[in-house]
Amino acid sequence: MNPIFPYELHEDYPGFFISFPDVPGALTSDDTEEETRSGALDCLIEAMEGCMDLRGAIPLPSQPNVGQGTVILPPLVVAKLALYEGMR
C-alpha cells in the first residue's frame, strides 16, 4: 500500500480546512494554516479507523497534483491497514 495521501488546503474564513480527495469525509480544520496542516495526519488515521469500524474498503491514494500537500502514514498504521485488508 502506498502510504502517501494527497490533501487540499482550503481557506475558510476565519480559518482553514483540509480535505482528502481519496478519503470522503476526512476533513479537519483549525484557525491557522500551520495548525490545520499539523492535524492532517490524525484526521487521516481517524478516517482509516472509521473505514475499518464500518467494515469498508481502505481507500487507495492517488498521485498528488501540483499544489496539493501530502500526508505519509506511519509504517505501523500501514501494516495494520494491510492486515485488515488481508483479513477482509
Side-chain angles (χ1 to χ4, degrees):
M1 173 184 189
N2 179 5
I4 303 170
F5 281 79
Y7 67 80
E8 296 172 358
L9 179 70
H10 309 274
E11 190 167 359
D12 184 38
Y13 182 79
F16 296 85
F17 76 94
I18 282 178
S19 63
F20 290 86
D22 304 312
V23 188
L27 302 168
T28 187
S29 64
D30 218 317
D31 295 331
T32 68
E33 186 176 333
E34 183 179 320
E35 290 171 334
T36 306
R37 288 183 194 273
S38 71
L41 176 59
D42 288 339
C43 173
L44 183 58
I45 291 172
E46 289 290 326
M48 295 299 178
E49 288 175 357
C51 290
M52 290 189 292
D53 289 344
L54 296 172
R55 309 259 192 262
I58 300 299
L60 297 175
S62 59
Q63 290 292 338
N65 294 325
V66 175
Q68 288 182 322
T70 57
V71 169
I72 302 173
L73 289 173
L76 183 58
V77 172
V78 172
K80 288 178 181 180
L81 294 174
L83 178 61
Y84 166 79
E85 277 297 320
M87 293 176 65
R88 194 173 152 274

